[in-house]
């Protein structure tokens, strides 16, 4: 993997469903992986910064895991709510910051 | 204010015009970043400052793009002789210390070049 990739590109879930999406990145020269949440017309908001293989972080209903050896991170949202609707961006810091294209999540009431 | 601010929020420029975009980072933050975000894509790194020193400008797309942070706080991104392909949202972010810290983003400046 040469670039930071995210899948799926977009996702629609029902309120109450749990969901997850993936960030894939080059595993060489890795320093940190960031997750951001970006709501329309607002600034990106930092969710997590992870640096070590096996890191797991949790913030309320949102959690993330990191595998630096294989170059991926998962973001999980438990019991999705309409206010979770946003674009979720991951960014890998190696020699510089490279953002993925984002996963656009829509939670339907 | 408590967060990163950017001005103007929206800028319309005629092709060939010079523009200057301003970023006020969170007070005391050492690191400052500029990103360019095209429609439907993630932010792309432009340049990075540690205090007043521009340590990385590898993402600036051409020599028409110039950034400065002369006193280690406010930063200005200048684009000379704007082209239509410069139309994008320009995001500024700051972080407390190193470039691996959490970044705090401003609301962005949407530049449209006609």
């Amino acid at each position: 993997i040469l670039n930071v990739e995210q899948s799926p590109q977009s996702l629609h879930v029902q309120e109450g469903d749990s969901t997850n999406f993936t960030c894939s990145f080059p595993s060489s020269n890795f320093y940190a992986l960031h997750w951001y949440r970006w709501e329309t017309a607002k600034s990106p908001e930092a969710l997590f910064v992870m640096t070590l293989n096996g890191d797991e972080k949790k913030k309320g209903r949102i959690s993330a895991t990191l595998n630096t050896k294989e170059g991926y991170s998962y973001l999980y949202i438990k019991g999705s709510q309409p206010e979770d609707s946003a674009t979720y961006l991951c960014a890998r810091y190696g020699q510089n910051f490279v953002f993925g294209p984002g996963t656009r999540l829509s939670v339907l009431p | 204010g408590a967060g990163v601010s950017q001005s103007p929020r929206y800028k319309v420029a005629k092709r060939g015009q010079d523009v200057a975009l301003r970023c006020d980072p969170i007070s005391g933050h050492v690191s400052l970043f500029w990103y360019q975000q095209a429609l439907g894509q993630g932010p792309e790194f432009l340049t990075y400052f540690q205090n007043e020193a521009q340590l990385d400008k590898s993402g600036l797309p051409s020599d028409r793009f110039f950034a400065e942070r002369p006193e280690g706080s406010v930063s200005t991104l200048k684009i000379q002789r704007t082209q239509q392909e410069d139309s994008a949202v320009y995001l500024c972010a700051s972080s407390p210390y190193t470039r691996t810290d959490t970044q705090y983003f401003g609301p962005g400046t949407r530049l449209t070049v006609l």
Side-chain angles (χ1 to χ4, degrees):
Chain A
I1 296 172
L2 299 178
N3 293 317
V4 178
E5 300 169 355
Q6 291 188 247
S7 62
Q9 185 177 27
S10 65
L11 190 58
H12 293 81
V13 302
Q14 289 294 135
E15 182 176 356
D17 287 351
S18 294
T19 187
N20 65 85
F21 22 93
T22 305
C23 172
S24 304
F25 52 86
S27 55
S28 60
N29 297 317
F30 172 88
Y31 289 102
L33 193 284
H34 293 222
W35 279 101
Y36 293 88
R37 169 192 148 91
W38 197 355
E39 290 183 69
T40 303
K42 295 187 179 179
S43 308
E45 173 197 353
L47 291 174
F48 306 113
V49 177
M50 295 182 288
T51 56
L52 299 176
N53 185 45
D55 262 355
E56 293 187 22
K57 294 280 179 84
K58 185 175 165 65
K59 184 177 182 179
R61 295 179 291 99
I62 305 177
S63 60
T65 61
L66 178 67
N67 183 321
T68 60
K69 293 183 188 297
E70 296 181 39
Y72 64 84
S73 175
Y74 293 137
L75 188 80
Y76 301 91
I77 303 178
K78 184 178 177 181
S80 303
Q81 300 297 310
E83 58 265 30
D84 296 330
S85 297
T87 296
Y88 291 82
L89 291 166
C90 67
R92 172 193 180 272
Y93 177 60
Q95 291 181 312
N96 55 35
F97 264 104
V98 180
F99 276 82
T103 292
R104 184 184 298 275
L105 173 68
S106 297
V107 181
L108 307 174
Chain B
V4 178
S5 61
Q6 292 185 246
S7 61
R9 291 292 310 277
Y10 302 92
K11 177 70 179 177
V12 178
K14 291 183 180 177
R15 193 172 60 179
Q17 187 178 350
D18 296 350
V19 298
L21 312 180
R22 177 186 168 108
C23 173
D24 285 81
I26 292 173
S27 178
H29 275 198
V30 168
S31 295
L32 185 144
F33 306 79
W34 282 98
Y35 296 92
Q36 180 190 60
Q37 195 215 8
L39 191 64
Q41 298 180 21
E44 288 199 15
F45 171 81
L46 293 177
T47 187
Y48 161 69
F49 289 87
Q50 186 174 74
N51 295 309
E52 69 278 6
Q54 189 174 21
L55 298 187
D56 188 343
K57 54 182 180 179
S58 61
L60 295 176
S62 77
D63 58 7
R64 296 186 295 103
F65 286 71
F66 173 76
E68 59 183 5
R69 194 186 185 199
E71 296 178 1
S73 55
V74 171
S75 178
T76 303
L77 176 68
K78 297 180 180 177
I79 309 173
Q80 297 176 322
R81 305 181 303 281
T82 52
Q83 303 295 312
Q84 283 188 319
E85 61 263 28
D86 299 335
S87 297
V89 174
Y90 290 86
L91 290 165
C92 173
S94 68
S95 68
Y97 301 107
T98 70
R99 63 169 87 188
T100 58
D101 290 338
T102 296
Q103 295 183 29
Y104 298 85
F105 282 82
T109 294
R110 181 177 295 278
L111 173 65
T112 303
V113 182
L114 304 177

